[in-house]
Amino acid sequence: MSDVLAQSVAVLGCRPGVAGGVCFLEDQVVLHAVGAGCVQLHLRQKWHKFMPGIEKTRGVQAMAISPDRRYLAAAETVADQPVLTVYDLSSVPVRRRRTLSAAELPARIAVSLAFSPNCQYLAAATAPPQGRLTYWLWEKQRLLAAVRLEAPGSSVCQVSFSPQDNTQVCITGNGFFKLFKYCERTLKQMNLEKGMPQNYLCHTWLSKEEVICGTDTGKLILFETGDLLWKTSVEYRKPHRELEEDATTTEYECCSVGSSGNDGSQQDSLPQISAIAAYSKGFACSSSPGIVLLFEKTRGKELYEESQEIWLPKDRFSSDPKKSGKQDIICICFSPSEETMVVNTQKNQLYMFSMLPTDFMKERIAYFKYLTFPLHSASITGLDICLWKSILATCSLDRSVRIWNYQTNTLELYKEYWEEAYSVSLHPTGLFCLVGFSDKLRFISLLYEDMHVFKELAVIKCRECSFSNRGHLFAAVNENVIEIYSSITFENINNLKGHSGKIRSVKWSADDAKFISCDTHGAVYEWNLTTGERETECVLKSCRYSSIDLSSDAKVILAVGSDQTLKEISASSIQHEVPAFGVVYTAVAVSHSGHMVFVGTSLGTIRAMKYPLPLTTDFNEYQAHAGAVTKMSITNDDQFLLTASEDGSIFIWKVYEKGGGRMKWQKEVEHAEEVLIMRSDIKEKSQAMLDLQIRVKELQTENYYQLSLKDMYYNEKIKELEDNFTQEISSLKTKHQNLQAEKENQELQHQLQVSELMDKQAREMEKLASDSNQKLLMENEKYQELDEKSQKMQEEYEKQLHSLEESKSKAVKELTEYYEEKLNEKSVLLKETEEDMRQQLRAHEEIKKQIYEDEDQEITEIKIKYERQLWEEKESNMQLKGEIGVMNKRLNSLQKELKERNRYIEEMKLAQQKLQRIIKSLEEDILALKKEIQERTDTIQDKEKHIYDLKKKNQELEKCKFVLDHRIAELKKLIEARGNDIKTMKKQIYEMEGELERFHKESTQLKLNITQLQQKLKATDNEMHRERQKKQNMEALIKRFKADLHNCAGFIQEPKKLKNGICELYTKYVQESDLEEIEIAQKDLQPECMRQREYLERNLAALKKKLVKNQETHRGAYMHIMQENMSLIKEINDLRQELKAALTQLHDLESTLKLIKKREATQDTAPSREPLPSPAVLRLNAEKENEKIIEMQQLEIQYLRNQIQEKGQSPAVQPLLAGNLPELNLEGSHKTQQQ
């Protein structure tokens, strides 16, 4: 192992597209995926702790944290193979606990993970198609169950455990929502999917049985045990007006064609719930780009109600500020105390929001703030440091340039442009930087709060640029040419030409005397800047160089490329090669002391090794980035290593020796604190300060004046309140004295009652005590007698057992002696004959066994008898003990009753106090009610007076009403008669409309008949055409036949040839089938033609008759309608004359009413002259309504007349009324048939 060590101090970045990519370990510690692992970030102390993944990992795809915040599950890929690992977060450092794999499952990466509530089980889901849900006992690395998921196409799916059930799992995706229960080593589905399938993008558990899901159409669906409980849809939300207004007023320096099309499409898109998370009051979800909605539980029909909108903040340094508010939120998480909410967006940004109680949430709309600062969202293409300051400059394909402080781990400056940035270089002073964009190379001044473009150079797609160490020159790469400029005059001093490939890296020597470059065609050149010529060169065409660096003495060039080696080049040749052991080196950096070399690989790892380079694997390798390392640099004091990668992350490493100390530097570096600022900015800020100072003075004077007014107002109020309170205090004192007197009387009564109750209780207690003592004495005597009996019984049984054992031993001895004598006798007999001996032995053994069995049976029977007796005695003893226990329980119950009575007495005292308080409050209420009664009696008297005045006025008005009612009745009679006439007119009009409809139907039928006849005529024309064609064919045939006959006529003098020619003509033109057809056709043709001709003539005659009849009927109907119209017009004119007469009568009535009102005004001397609605006015209103009714009826009559005229002029009716039907060309068709 190498003596050089590196430790990650800070990680600046966030990995995109990780399921569950952000979570809380503690209230102030956030864990999120970055690079090839995860990082812990403390929100207050701002420290970072990086947790690397498995060796050669390509990054985390999905992660989940256990409910106790102790374990982390991560789905990673190593060499295109998925790996599922569980890490122990409680250990220091974090170590890998388990690695899960199953041979029977296909190798697919998990897209969602979840821990069970007890942290023992882990659920993992792979994406459809061919997706699977797996259920693991991860501590034992055992797969318990697996279920296949079938869904159309690849889609997002999410898995989670019930918060209180370790065996219940929920999984959602495109077209499925499933609840599984682990039972008997299988996952069984609990719910049945109903209705149309939805594309569920996310879900979360709200309780043990409730799951809420979000769809791609903006719907929130709540399920309870798999059944639909509640459903709502969320509208697409656009950014708030303040964001858009601020964005339009701000002007930026850089303007070019940007990515505005994506934002427009997002605005027009439908809402979709991209993320959802639950908390104690409800849940949070993201329904549109850049917004999180908080929903809280309610008690109404709507189970959850929207309570707050939280928007992403605008980015004032962005080229398009609206874009910052339109990021899709992919993950939401809450801290354990629910004081902080953190979200992750698809552009690798992290935002936080401080949750407050609802009482303090006065504004409905709130805004997030960055968790730390804006991060890169695309590959980092450039990285550089400076000499004077501890800052680091980076640029990225996300069109941004950022200035970081690697000591404080903060972002100092940041700005987005319209073009992609490919390279960056810091001036040694740290006040300027070079940035190579896709269109130009820009010299930028680093101001206090902004970046100002000072100069633009026409260098397109500058992939590499670098300031000299003294800062007086800078180099810019233009394809395969290196252009050297003065950083003071910006003049092009020299152009270094000679590279055939694209230049990938350039480097200045420490004294700026040498300049080195490398390209993709394997060339490494050392240039002389004064002449512009190459001094040394080393070309290896098999290697595509990607990075170079110089040793501290500038004699050795270290280069890396595509051939998996680290090369030492000096004197135009490769002196030494160190293999990479199966990895491609992409970046190299040499320390200024010359003792350390750091290399970045294509896998994102960092290797640290000593210099001179080792031949073996003597290096330390660190997991860092998830993509290839693009740039790396070491600070001038060799304290920090800075690396950047294609995954958009930046790592800051501290460099150590093996003993534990840092690398020592010759001099302590003092960093400058100077900052540039524009004169216009200073003027604006000074002017703003002056304006604010003036405003502060104005506000102070205004506040002083308002405070003085308030003091005056409140002093007056205090005086009024003091007077009121003094009066109330005096009245309350008198009440208090009265209540105290009542209280003393009640206390005396209660004391007497309590003393009586205490005496009664004492007597009862004495009686109970004497009774209980007597009972206890009796029970004790019984218990002692029973104890004596039980002892005597035990002694007797023990004696009997002893005597039985002695008798048993004696019997056994006697039997043994007896049988021994017998055995001796039999042994003598056995000696005589062997056969008798065997028989005797067998018989003896059998007898012996029987005897032993009999003795054992007797002994067992005796034991059973005595054991039964003992058991009965013990049961009797137990019964006695039970009775004693019952008596003890009775005593305890009596004691408890005494305690309960004491408590009851105390409760009665408390209730008495409460009743006294209630009495006081009721007395106060009685006084208040008496006051209200007096006030109401006064108001009733006032209202009665007012009612009396109104009654008088009503009597006068009723007199006028009687006169006008008589006139109204007469007019109503006239209106009713005319209304009846109008009704009869309407009926006639409806009947006329029916007749018109019938005429229309008949005309349509006639049209259909005409069309049918026309079709028949067309068919006959077609047949005639065919016949003509046949005729032409026959004429042609006849002509040919004539020609052939003419030829045959030439052989009249030669009969044989003439005969042969006629035979050929016969065979050529005559066939037997033709003859037969001609004969048949001639027979059938003439009668058929005659029959068809007669049929057509009959049809034509019938149609002509029908047309004549229809024309006559239509003419009669039209004349009838015209006569009715004339009569209706006459009646309408009569009605108009009657209306004019009615209007004149109304005018006369109005004039009489005005005269009556003038008389009443002169006679009325009362002070209150309020205009009341009189019956005359009401009558006028009724007459106006009648006029409106008549006008409406007139309009209806006019509308009907117009309809009748339109129908009379329509083309369908015109030919019938006029009698001008189109004539049929019957003669022409008849001629064609004859031909």
Side-chain angles (χ1 to χ4, degrees), residues 802-826:
H802 185 68
S803 61
L804 286 167
E805 286 176 356
E806 288 177 352
S807 62
K808 181 184 174 185
S809 60
K810 286 178 182 178
V812 169
K813 284 179 181 179
E814 289 175 356
L815 289 167
T816 51
E817 288 175 356
Y818 175 69
Y819 285 116
E820 282 176 357
E821 289 176 358
K822 279 189 176 182
L823 283 168
N824 290 325
E825 291 176 357
K826 288 181 181 180

Side-chain angles (χ1 to χ4, degrees), residues 1116-1141:
Y1118 186 77
M1119 292 301 291
H1120 181 66
I1121 289 161
M1122 289 294 288
Q1123 288 173 1
E1124 286 181 350
N1125 282 333
M1126 291 296 287
S1127 63
L1128 287 169
I1129 289 161
K1130 286 178 182 178
E1131 288 175 358
I1132 287 160
N1133 290 324
D1134 296 333
L1135 288 168
R1136 281 177 181 170
Q1137 290 176 1
E1138 289 174 0
L1139 279 169
K1140 284 179 182 178

Side-chain angles (χ1 to χ4, degrees), residues 166-209:
N166 298 315
T167 60
Q168 192 172 359
V169 182
C170 175
I171 185 164
T172 57
N174 187 2
F176 62 88
F177 166 77
K178 296 182 180 181
L179 292 172
F180 290 98
K181 184 89 172 176
Y182 177 71
C183 180
E184 297 176 357
R185 297 184 181 180
T186 57
L187 286 169
K188 296 181 180 178
Q189 189 171 347
M190 295 170 59
N191 66 321
L192 293 173
E193 297 180 29
K194 300 176 182 178
M196 291 293 291
Q198 301 280 342
N199 185 5
Y200 299 103
L201 299 180
C202 54
H203 74 268
T204 187
W205 291 83
L206 299 178
S207 64
K208 184 180 178 181
E209 296 177 347

Side-chain angles (χ1 to χ4, degrees), residues 788-896:
E788 289 175 358
K789 285 181 181 180
S790 63
Q791 287 174 3
K792 287 178 182 179
M793 292 289 286
Q794 283 179 358
E795 289 174 357
E796 287 177 359
Y797 289 131
E798 285 175 357
K799 288 177 182 179
Q800 287 177 2
L801 286 167
H802 185 68
S803 61
L804 286 167
E805 286 176 356
E806 288 177 352
S807 62
K808 181 184 174 185
S809 60
K810 286 178 182 178
V812 169
K813 284 179 181 179
E814 289 175 356
L815 289 167
T816 51
E817 288 175 356
Y818 175 69
Y819 285 116
E820 282 176 357
E821 289 176 358
K822 279 189 176 182
L823 283 168
N824 290 325
E825 291 176 357
K826 288 181 181 180
S827 62
V828 173
L829 293 169
L830 285 167
K831 287 177 182 178
E832 292 177 357
T833 56
E834 289 179 357
E835 291 179 359
D836 294 336
M837 184 181 67
R838 288 173 184 172
Q839 291 177 358
Q840 289 293 328
L841 283 168
R842 287 174 184 171
H844 178 69
E845 286 176 356
E846 288 177 358
I847 293 163
K848 193 175 180 181
K849 285 178 183 178
Q850 289 176 359
I851 290 164
Y852 276 121
E853 287 174 358
D854 294 336
E855 287 177 353
D856 290 333
Q857 285 178 359
E858 289 176 359
I859 290 161
T860 52
E861 286 175 358
I862 291 162
K863 279 183 179 179
I864 288 162
K865 284 180 184 179
Y866 289 115
E867 283 175 356
R868 282 178 183 171
Q869 290 177 0
L870 280 169
W871 182 69
E872 288 173 357
E873 292 296 329
K874 283 178 181 178
E875 279 187 346
S876 63
N877 287 328
M878 289 297 289
Q879 286 176 359
L880 292 168
K881 286 178 181 178
E883 289 176 358
I884 292 161
V886 170
M887 295 303 293
N888 289 324
K889 285 179 182 178
R890 286 180 182 175
L891 281 171
N892 291 325
S893 65
L894 289 168
Q895 289 174 358
K896 285 178 182 178

